């Protein structure tokens, strides 16, 4: 198995770590059969990769054998974003699904114990043609057997169909929404689209709420920390102040 080095510091500040901890505890209680989860959102930049990475690391620290799969075939920046150095031939999901490498070449053991990664590998011209295939389904079945948890970082739902295609083959999905950006209507559409796959939407994470935006409404401070999240089955803006101070998380 090849190795990968994740060079970026993934530690969060105290409140950020607490928020991710709670998300992961809730995921743990979602059911024993929830092994393959897809993380998606309405648009680019909502924080799918950030949340996928944090969930994967947190679960790995809990002793689970975790595989993070980068399946954002249209716009994957994960390896650059997290300064990941891939050993071997740097192949990934795209190579694997197009028959250019074997599964064992595409899975990397990272420098974080219990944390394994399938990077994207390369840009793909027709991503959907690779995802809506029996090969992809076989891949998910195979990794589902050998890992305790598979976290799939998907493209946004709605813009492209891939997230729903991926969700069909998973045990649950998580929707990330960006505070003050994701529209209620888009969220409802995304939720419906994901529900139509027949795979349960496990919950949503309200991400990126800056404290300073809330500063005029003092009572929000009573929710406390700089970084919160909402994880659960409620959708909409009335619930759960997800908050984090932009730029203040520890790099
Ligand atoms: N909770 C968060 N705290 C701090 N930075 C975040 C958070 N969520 C996302 N970001 C940052 O916002 C940007 C977009 O996030 P990313 O995960 O790449 O979005 P997506 O995968 O949905 O396109 C990145 O620079 C990421 O580091
Ligand atoms: Mg991303």
């Amino acid at each position: 198995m090849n190795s990968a080095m994740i060079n970026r510091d993934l530690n969060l500040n105290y409140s950020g770590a607490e928020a991710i901890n709670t998300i992961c505890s809730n995921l743990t209680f979602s059911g024993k059969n929830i092994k393959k989860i897809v993380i998606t959102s309405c648009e680019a930049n909502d924080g799918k990769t950030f949340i996928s990475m944090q969930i994967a690391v947190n679960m790995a620290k809990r002793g689970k054998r975790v595989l993070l799969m980068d399946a954002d075939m249209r716009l994957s920046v994960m390896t650059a974003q997290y300064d990941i150095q891939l050993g071997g031939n740097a192949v990934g999901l795209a190579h694997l699904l197009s028959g250019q490498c074997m599964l064992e070449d595409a899975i990397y053991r990272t420098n974080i114990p219990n944390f394994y990664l399938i990077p994207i590998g390369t840009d793909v011209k027709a991503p959907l043609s690779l995802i809506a295939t029996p090969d992809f389904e076989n891949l998910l079945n195979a990794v589902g057997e050998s890992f305790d948890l598979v976290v799939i970082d998907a493209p946004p739902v709605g813009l492209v169909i891939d997230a729903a295609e991926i969700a069909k083959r998973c045990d649950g999905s998580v929707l990330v929404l960006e505070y003050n950006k994701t529209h209620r209507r888009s969220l409802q559409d995304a939720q419906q689209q994901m529900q139509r796959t027949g795979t349960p939407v496990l919950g949503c994470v309200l991400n990126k709420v800056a404290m300073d935006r809330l500063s005029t409404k003092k009572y929000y401070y009573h929710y406390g920390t700089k970084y919160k999240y909402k994880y659960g089955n409620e959708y909409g803006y009335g619930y759960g102040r997800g908050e984090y101070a932009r730029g203040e998380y520890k790099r």
Side-chain angles (χ1 to χ4, degrees):
M1 189 181 282
N2 290 315
S3 308
M5 182 79 188
I6 303 174
N7 290 309
R8 189 167 145 183
D9 180 5
L10 296 172
N11 291 313
L12 298 172
N13 60 22
Y14 176 77
S15 42
E18 276 300 288
I20 296 294
N21 240 333
T22 315
I23 291 171
C24 289
S25 297
N26 285 335
L27 275 177
T28 308
F29 293 123
S30 295
K32 261 225 293 280
N33 300 331
I34 309 279
K35 264 189 148 186
K36 293 169 273 183
I37 56 168
V38 56
I39 314 290
T40 188
S41 75
C42 297
E43 284 174 42
N45 272 320
D46 295 332
K48 294 175 289 298
T49 303
F50 180 91
I51 296 293
S52 303
M53 185 64 94
Q54 288 295 336
I55 289 177
V57 169
N58 187 292
M59 292 295 216
K61 283 191 185 145
R62 292 172 186 231
K64 289 201 187 301
R65 228 172 104 83
V66 181
L67 176 70
L68 174 63
M69 184 187 292
D70 184 1
D72 193 351
M73 292 224 183
R74 286 160 211 254
L75 192 74
S76 178
V77 285
M78 187 193 281
T79 38
Q81 214 171 2
Y82 288 89
D83 193 6
I84 303 175
Q85 276 166 281
L86 301 172
N89 294 328
V91 289
L93 185 65
H95 300 91
L96 182 59
L97 293 178
S98 55
Q100 296 174 59
C101 75
M102 305 292 285
L103 180 55
E104 51 268 35
D105 301 323
I107 300 184
Y108 295 78
R109 173 184 287 114
T110 74
N111 49 317
I112 299 164
N114 293 325
F115 184 110
Y116 297 78
L117 175 73
I118 299 190
I120 204 77
T122 184
D123 290 338
V124 195
K125 295 242 160 46
L128 188 58
S129 64
L130 295 180
I131 286 208
T133 58
D135 283 353
F136 186 66
E137 190 155 357
N138 293 339
L139 164 65
L140 285 190
N141 289 337
V143 293
E145 290 289 308
S146 45
F147 290 90
D148 299 323
L149 181 72
V150 180
V151 180
I152 303 172
D153 179 13
V157 67
L159 287 183
V160 288
I161 196 79
D162 319 22
E165 281 297 329
I166 296 169
K168 272 190 211 163
R169 296 160 176 87
C170 289
D171 308 315
S173 63
V174 172
L175 278 171
V176 177
L177 41 147
E178 183 172 340
Y179 181 81
N180 239 359
K181 192 188 109 188
T182 309
H183 293 278
R184 184 183 290 270
R185 180 80 225 171
S186 332
L187 181 61
Q188 282 167 342
D189 288 348
Q191 185 198 354
Q192 277 165 13
Q193 208 170 322
M194 295 312 274
Q195 277 171 343
R196 274 200 293 270
T197 63
T199 299
V201 180
L202 300 172
C204 59
V205 174
L206 187 53
N207 192 23
K208 289 202 198 184
V209 179
M211 276 303 275
D212 53 359
R213 290 208 212 126
L214 301 174
S215 59
T216 51
K217 299 189 177 177
K218 285 236 169 358
Y219 52 89
Y220 285 145
Y221 281 121
H222 295 305
Y223 286 89
T225 55
K226 280 195 188 124
Y227 181 125
K228 273 194 172 179
Y229 73 97
K230 178 65 192 172
Y231 189 85
N233 288 317
E234 298 96 329
Y235 292 90
Y237 300 105
Y239 283 107
R241 306 285 149 207
E243 44 192 73
Y244 90 111
R246 214 173 270 274
E248 278 190 35
Y249 70 101
K250 201 172 152 220
R251 270 180 184 265

